[in-house]
Amino acid sequence: MYAFEYHRPTTLAGALADLENADAKPLAGGQTLLPTMKQRLASPSALVELSGVPELSGIARDGDAVVIGAMTRHIDVAQSPVVAGAIPALAALAGGIGDPQVRNRGTLGGSLANNDPAADYPGAALALGATIVTDRRRIAAEDYFTGLFETALEPGELITKVSFPIPQKAAYVKFPSPASRYALVGVFVAKTADGVRVAVTGSGESGVFRVDSFETALSANFSPSALDGLSVPADGLNSDLHADADYRAHLIGVLAKRAVAAAG
Amino acid sequence: MVHVSMTVNGRNVSAEIDPRTLLVQFLRDTLRLTGTHVGCDTSQCGACTVHVDGAAIKSCTTLAISCNGSTVTTIEGLAKAGKLHPMQQAFQDNHGLQCGFCTPGMIMASVDMVNRCGPDLDEATIRHELEGNICRCTGYHNIVRSVAQGAREMGAAATAQAAE
Ligand SMILES: Cc1cc2nc3c(=O)[nH]c(=O)nc-3n(C[C@H](O)[C@H](O)[C@H](O)COP(=O)(O)OP(=O)(O)OC[C@H]3O[C@@H](n4cnc5c(N)ncnc54)[C@H](O)[C@@H]3O)c2cc1C
Ligand code: FES
Ligand code: FES
């Protein structure tokens, strides 16, 4: 790890001021940032620890949405009665991230800012039509995920919270990598008043994506059999040592059916 | 350099450290608490698991300065008055270790598991909850037995204490 300055602001304004330095980076739970810095793939000149900023925490129901602060840990989402009552699929997703030690430190904001193509939360955010709220604007999930580890965030822009609209039904099913528990393939299916949304993580060469053909079929008939005969082309899917693109394409179909069945 | 202070195993400690210092380095190198191990240094193996403010975390993936003001418990802090913690005793009783390298992390993760999931743990729960800890020796069967016994005994001890 290269040397850095350390800041621990106690207000959002203080954090933003500390982040004005172009080479400064926010530190959430460190579950991605610290390993990256150890490997010298990142070398911020300063780290701005967010854990002391009260504006970034908390889980609350707000009308037809659940609003979750950026610094909320995976364990807190997994154990939240508010989330379990409104969007049980989201609580289950958080409870399946990594392992208990990772869930005890990793955060919603850190996961979405990082936009790892194998991460779970991007699937939920895109399928549920979440809004990513930052210190300066509101970004629809559609516009937020812009590529592999790429997001619409500007330098120094902080995610403050995320608003997840409550669906009628939803489920997330992932095929976890046996080593890391990251998604080899993960499919999030949400049935909303405006139709069904299907988001796939773990697979796309440019990160999380929606599957129009599945959505159309499921909007007409929300049952696993509606997906019979439909498939996702292997073009544009990742091939790596864990799974090739054809296998991922196959898993997307299988897991989508399982997710529909699980959503009930 | 930054100033850090925290409570480790009931003792107040403070030091001037480089902000880069990982919690595990602070525990092992500064405080000489070498029971916490480094297996992978890449967040995978769980050998470095300690409790920070009651939650199990990987101390190789946490800055010491992030724990400023926190309460930290390491494997050295579990035994009370010369008597092993029920989870430590259970690992001994069930031959839950061979080389012992993973054991401090296994035990810290297991105590956290009982704190969150209660004392009645079935095998599937124990295996799922130990996903963050890797053992290269035992094949896990005896670890699972150890955790089940340790959990029951932690539950019994809590009941006995409540009755007093
Ligand atoms: C062993 C292991 C297994 C894992 N398994 C999974 C898994 O199965 N599924 C999964 O989805 N993830 C998994 N993860 C990742 C984990 O979910 C973390 O949440 C994720 O790495 C982000 O970490 P963090 O919240 O600690 O953020 P950090 O590592 O602190 O930060 C990550 C990035 O986000 C930036 N950032 C943080 N907060 C904000 C904010 N509020 N606004 C703007 N930028 C911000 C940081 O500057 C940094 O660039 C795993 C991680 C590990 C170590
Ligand atoms: S040494 Fe920390 S997880 Fe392996
Ligand atoms: S006992 Fe040797 S690694 Fe677990």
Side-chain angles (χ1 to χ4, degrees), chain A residues 1 38 49 99 101 104, chain B residues 20 41 56 58 60 66 133:
Chain A
M1 222 186 272
K38 283 185 185 178
E49 171 110 44
D99 53 56
Q101 293 95 317
N104 277 333
Chain B
R20 282 178 284 187
D41 200 22
K58 294 176 182 172
C60 76
S66 295
N133 295 76

Side-chain angles (χ1 to χ4, degrees), chain A:
Chain A
M1 222 186 272
Y2 290 108
F4 54 84
E5 271 177 40
Y6 175 81
H7 303 278
R8 191 172 182 280
T10 51
T11 62
L12 185 57
L16 293 169
D18 288 336
L19 284 166
E20 270 169 22
N21 169 352
D23 291 329
K25 259 187 178 295
L27 174 68
Q31 297 304 288
T32 291
L33 187 51
L34 294 176
T36 316
M37 289 171 63
K38 283 185 185 178
Q39 293 173 307
R40 298 186 168 180
L41 295 172
S43 50
S45 61
L47 285 188
V48 181
E49 171 110 44
L50 299 180
S51 62
V53 179
E55 290 98 324
L56 302 179
S57 63
I59 300 178
R61 173 98 185 233
D62 179 15
D64 295 335
V66 173
V67 180
I68 305 180
M71 282 298 288
T72 310
R73 302 173 307 156
H74 308 325
I75 185 95
D76 298 321
V77 175
Q79 294 181 342
S80 158
V82 175
V83 180
I87 319 180
L90 189 62
L93 174 148
I97 293 176
D99 53 56
Q101 293 95 317
V102 168
R103 294 194 286 275
N104 277 333
R105 282 200 75 77
T107 67
L108 171 62
S111 179
L112 289 179
N114 195 46
N115 192 20
D116 188 309
D120 297 304
Y121 269 127
L126 190 60
L128 292 168
T131 302
I132 290 75
V133 183
T134 76
D135 59 283
R136 57 198 76 164
R137 57 187 171 142
R138 302 170 64 86
I139 312 173
E142 307 292 338
D143 305 322
Y144 175 81
F145 301 104
T146 54
L148 227 47
F149 296 102
E150 298 279 342
T151 70
L153 291 178
E154 293 163 357
E157 184 169 10
L158 266 189
I159 302 176
T160 54
K161 56 193 173 184
V162 182
S163 173
F164 294 95
I166 299 170
Q168 294 166 351
K169 295 174 176 182
Y172 177 65
V173 179
K174 82 164 155 176
F175 189 104
S177 152
S180 71
R181 323 312 295 176
Y182 271 104
L184 203 65
V185 173
V187 181
F188 200 109
V189 172
K191 185 170 189 283
T192 73
D194 305 327
V196 175
R197 295 167 65 106
V198 179
V200 176
T201 187
S203 311
E205 275 174 355
S206 29
V208 65
F209 63 91
R210 285 169 67 183
V211 187
D212 293 344
S213 61
F214 287 14
E215 293 185 356
T216 310
L218 291 169
S219 295
N221 171 18
F222 193 73
S223 73
S225 62
L227 298 176
D228 285 346
L230 294 179
S231 63
V232 169
D235 279 355
L237 300 186
N238 278 330
S239 278
D240 55 29
L241 80 163
H242 305 295
D244 64 17
D246 288 330
Y247 183 52
R248 280 196 161 88
H250 172 71
L251 278 181
I252 291 169
V254 172
L255 299 186
K257 284 187 177 179
R258 287 188 191 166
V260 174

Side-chain angles (χ1 to χ4, degrees), chain B residues 44-122:
Chain B
Q44 315 292 321
C45 76
C48 64
T49 303
V50 301
H51 296 184
V52 174
D53 297 326
I57 59 117
K58 294 176 182 172
S59 61
C60 76
T61 313
T62 303
L63 295 176
I65 188 63
S66 295
C67 303
N68 194 29
S70 291
T71 299
V72 176
T73 306
T74 71
I75 190 72
E76 288 93 342
L78 285 189
K80 290 282 173 306
K83 192 167 178 289
L84 290 182
H85 183 279
M87 192 59 78
Q88 292 174 303
Q89 188 62 51
F91 272 70
Q92 190 184 76
D93 293 348
N94 293 280
H95 197 58
L97 59 145
Q98 288 179 21
C99 79
F101 196 85
C102 69
T103 315
M106 286 286 176
I107 290 176
M108 296 314 287
S110 301
V111 171
D112 175 74
M113 181 192 317
V114 179
N115 290 342
R116 279 182 297 107
C117 310
D120 294 318
L121 299 171
D122 60 22

